């Protein structure tokens, strides 16, 4: 019998519930499906036995508290995950279970064999020999990012309620919307949540422990052209599409995601559309180093200013906003929250894998709001698309880590 009987059933139930976020929405949460899922999670938390279960009107987060069962003051620890899934088909998710995977074979996701999860393309599969994998059927993403984390936190709380012999301080739970569109933690209510330290359970493979993220910005560039008939265009036409090409050509050609790694930053064009009269490009700008990050943003502004100097009115308009910052700036001032997680993994014979994240988590913003919040592994691999999968064994170990952190904090 599995230690956590409800872990996999919970996960399978969650991923079958569509909760994709929408960056074009102006509501909080951004989609009604997340609103409904939040209600379901709140009801489940009440059923498990947690106190003060509520859905924040400010942020859309589901918050709940597991009261302390010890008579001494210790830090209040929080565990956070997100309910939304990424920008890929998430309707009618049909998870498939593959027991005792041999670490070598191709996994045919669909009957026709159009979509194959193969170690040739995904060498990470070799790490899962003998384990039980959960995959998609090739037509959707899985939603393991981050419904693994949701299932693990819920299961850990359920386990603690049914095992009062495990001593713990007050524990706060937060399950939020819209992480995938970068706005989920914008309205996070630190005072309402109430934790002293916290962890997002939103990482990938076994052992991931992350407290260093990118600094991140988004730049929307508008190019204003002048469209006239090509026959009489000489000296008059200004082609907005050509302006966009000219702008992009002035960015460092090799500082793109496909040619960078580790702490190397980049410019990444996400979208481009336009006509001769009007064009738009959207970039994301990333760097772990704050000074280099600011220099990258300045280069974008400088290119626009240089191009505009050639015209009698602005033709290149930059709308840029910061998205999140490297949480290391906050966490390195007191590494206790990282040390506890590291010790928890080592106590469970899990080797911590600490490295700079080429991305961000809700913990990036929450750390700057006053709660140090590094990120723990949850088990998702190949996130955000049809080849996403997770391991049951890794999910179980992630749940173990949550419980061990709770135990360690109670002993402080």
């Amino acid at each position: 019998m599995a230690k956590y009987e409800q872990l996999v059933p919970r996960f399978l139930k969650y991923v079958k519930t569509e909760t994709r976020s929408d960056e074009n929405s102006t509501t909080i949460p951004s989609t009604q499906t997340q609103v409904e899922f939040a209600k379901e999670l709140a009801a489940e938390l009440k059923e498990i036995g947690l106190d003060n279960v509520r859905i924040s009107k400010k942020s859309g987060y589901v918050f709940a508290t597991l009261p302390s069962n010890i008579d001494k003051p210790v830090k209040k620890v929080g565990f956070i995950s997100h309910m939304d899934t990424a920008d890929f088909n998430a309707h009618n998710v049909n998870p498939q279970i593959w027991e005792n995977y041999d670490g070598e074979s191709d996994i045919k996701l669909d009957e026709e064999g159009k979509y194959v999860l193969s170690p040739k393309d995904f060498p990470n599969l070799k790490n899962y020999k003998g384990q039980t994998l959960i995959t998609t059927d090739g037509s959707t993403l899985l939603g393991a990012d981050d419904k693994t984390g949701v299932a693990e936190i819920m299961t850990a709380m359920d386990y603690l309620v049914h095992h009062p012999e495990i001593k713990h301080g007050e524990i706060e739970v937060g399950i939020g919307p819209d992480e995938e569109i970068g706005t989920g933690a914008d309205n996070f209510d630190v005072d309402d949540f109430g934790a002293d330290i916290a962890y997002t359970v939103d990482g990938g493979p076994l052992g991931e422990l992350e407290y260093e993220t990118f600094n991140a910005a988004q730049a929307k560039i508008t190019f204003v052209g002048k469209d006239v008939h090509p026959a009489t265009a000489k000296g008059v036409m200004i082609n907005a599409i050509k302006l966009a090409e000219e702008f992009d050509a002035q960015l460092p050609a090799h500082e793109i995601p496909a040619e960078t790694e580790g702490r190397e930053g980049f410019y990444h064009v996400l979208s481009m559309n336009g006509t001769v009269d009007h064009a738009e490009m959207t970039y994301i700008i990333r760097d772990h180093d704050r000074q280099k990050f600011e220099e990258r943003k300045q280069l974008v502004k400088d290119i626009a200013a240089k191009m505009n100097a050639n015209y009698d009115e602005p033709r290149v308009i930059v709308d840029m906003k910061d998205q999140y910052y490297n949480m290391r700036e906050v966490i390195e001032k007191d590494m206790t929250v990282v040390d506890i997680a590291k010790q928890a993994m080592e106590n469970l014979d899990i080797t911590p894998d600490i490295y700079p994240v080429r991305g961000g988590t809700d913990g990036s913003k929450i750390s700057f709001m006053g709660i140090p919040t590094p990120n723990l592994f949850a088990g998702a691999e190949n996130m955000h698309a049809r080849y996403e999968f997770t391991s049951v064994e890794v999910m179980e170990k992630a749940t173990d880590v949550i419980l061990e952190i709770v135990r360690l904090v109670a002993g402080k």
Side-chain angles (χ1 to χ4, degrees):
M1 183 182 298
K3 180 178 180 182
Y4 308 115
E5 293 183 46
Q6 294 304 309
L7 178 59
V8 172
R10 275 194 178 100
F11 176 70
L12 296 177
K13 176 184 176 183
Y14 296 161
V15 299
K16 290 177 182 179
T17 304
E18 192 275 312
T19 55
R20 188 172 175 178
S21 47
D22 179 7
E23 68 175 352
N24 296 314
S25 172
T26 58
T27 63
I28 301 172
S30 67
T31 54
Q32 186 62 31
T33 55
Q34 292 183 85
V35 173
E36 297 305 318
F37 189 52
K39 294 176 182 177
E40 293 177 17
L41 293 174
E44 185 176 355
L45 285 163
K46 290 178 181 178
E47 184 179 349
I48 288 171
L50 272 66
D51 290 354
N52 196 19
V53 179
R54 69 272 189 205
I55 299 175
S56 170
K57 293 182 180 180
K58 179 180 179 181
S59 66
Y61 265 77
V62 181
F63 287 150
T65 299
L66 182 62
S68 171
N69 64 3
I70 57 178
D71 57 3
K72 66 176 182 177
V74 297
K75 289 182 182 295
K76 298 176 183 178
V77 59
F79 296 96
I80 299 168
S81 56
H82 66 88
M83 67 182 77
D84 65 317
T85 59
D87 190 19
F88 193 86
N89 181 30
H91 287 283
N92 301 315
V93 173
N94 180 32
Q96 302 185 89
I97 298 176
W98 308 84
E99 296 182 352
N100 195 26
Y101 176 62
D102 63 13
E104 300 176 357
S105 299
D106 290 351
I107 298 176
K108 189 170 69 171
L109 299 178
D110 60 316
E111 291 184 3
E112 294 78 15
K114 183 178 181 181
Y115 303 114
V116 178
L117 191 58
S118 172
K120 294 178 183 177
D121 299 319
F122 305 104
N124 50 344
L125 283 166
K126 298 176 182 178
N127 299 325
Y128 295 93
K129 183 176 181 179
Q131 298 187 34
T132 297
L133 303 185
I134 304 176
T135 72
T136 75
D137 67 0
S139 63
T140 68
L141 50 62
L142 180 60
D145 178 15
D146 180 33
K147 289 173 180 174
T148 51
V150 178
E152 289 152 8
I153 292 171
M154 298 289 273
T155 301
M157 296 306 104
D158 195 359
Y159 192 85
L160 288 169
V161 168
H162 287 90
H163 292 81
E165 71 276 8
I166 300 175
K167 301 305 177 185
H168 58 81
E170 185 172 306
I171 302 169
E172 315 300 338
V173 170
I175 302 172
D178 297 334
E179 191 269 354
E180 297 294 359
I181 59 174
T183 61
D186 287 353
N187 298 292
F188 186 88
D189 193 328
V190 168
D191 292 334
D192 189 12
F193 187 54
D196 298 308
I197 60 173
Y199 300 90
T200 49
V201 187
D202 188 22
L206 180 69
E208 278 192 356
L209 171 54
E210 304 154 343
Y211 69 92
E212 182 177 357
T213 60
F214 273 138
N215 296 291
Q218 181 182 77
K220 293 185 177 181
I221 320 295
T222 300
F223 302 91
V224 181
K226 183 185 291 185
D227 193 6
V228 297
H229 194 287
T232 57
K234 186 172 181 179
V236 180
M237 178 184 283
I238 300 173
N239 191 327
I241 297 172
K242 300 298 288 184
L243 289 176
E245 292 176 351
E246 180 184 346
F247 180 92
D248 189 70
Q250 294 182 71
L251 291 171
H254 300 289
E255 295 181 13
I256 58 176
E259 297 189 38
T260 53
E261 61 184 353
R263 289 186 174 86
E264 296 172 336
F266 59 72
Y267 304 87
H268 177 44
V269 58
L270 287 177
S271 64
M272 175 181 177
N273 62 79
T275 62
V276 172
D277 187 65
H278 182 93
E280 296 178 346
M281 299 179 78
T282 299
Y283 289 85
I284 58 172
I285 302 166
R286 301 289 189 264
D287 209 296
H288 286 91
D289 184 279
R290 187 66 170 264
Q291 181 177 340
K292 291 180 180 178
F293 173 63
E294 297 298 334
E295 291 171 355
R296 288 184 182 281
K297 293 192 295 178
Q298 188 59 49
L299 177 58
V300 169
K301 297 176 182 178
D302 290 345
I303 294 172
K306 177 183 174 182
M307 292 178 65
N308 283 330
N310 296 322
Y311 302 98
D312 58 358
E313 62 180 277
R315 296 288 176 180
V316 183
I317 302 168
V318 177
D319 178 14
M320 185 155 46
K321 63 179 181 180
D322 290 354
Q323 296 172 302
Y324 56 84
Y325 302 111
N326 187 347
M327 66 172 123
R328 178 175 179 169
E329 290 184 34
V330 174
I331 293 176
E332 67 182 355
K333 295 175 183 177
D334 182 354
M335 292 288 286
T336 300
V337 66
V338 175
D339 293 339
I340 290 171
K342 183 180 178 182
Q343 185 63 57
M345 291 186 193
E346 291 174 345
N347 288 356
L348 297 167
D349 295 322
I350 299 170
T351 301
D353 184 12
I354 303 174
Y355 67 95
V357 185
R358 289 180 64 78
T361 72
D362 280 344
S364 302
K365 292 180 180 179
I366 295 169
S367 292
F368 279 90
M369 292 175 177
I371 305 175
T373 308
N375 190 40
L376 304 173
F377 73 91
E381 289 261 30
N382 301 348
M383 301 176 190
H384 295 186
R386 68 180 84 249
Y387 297 107
E388 189 177 15
F389 71 91
T390 189
S391 156
V392 171
E393 286 79 3
V394 174
M395 289 178 64
E396 290 175 343
K397 290 179 180 178
T399 309
D400 286 341
V401 169
I402 293 171
L403 296 175
E404 185 64 11
I405 287 173
V406 165
R407 189 188 69 78
L408 289 173
V409 172
K412 295 294 183 181

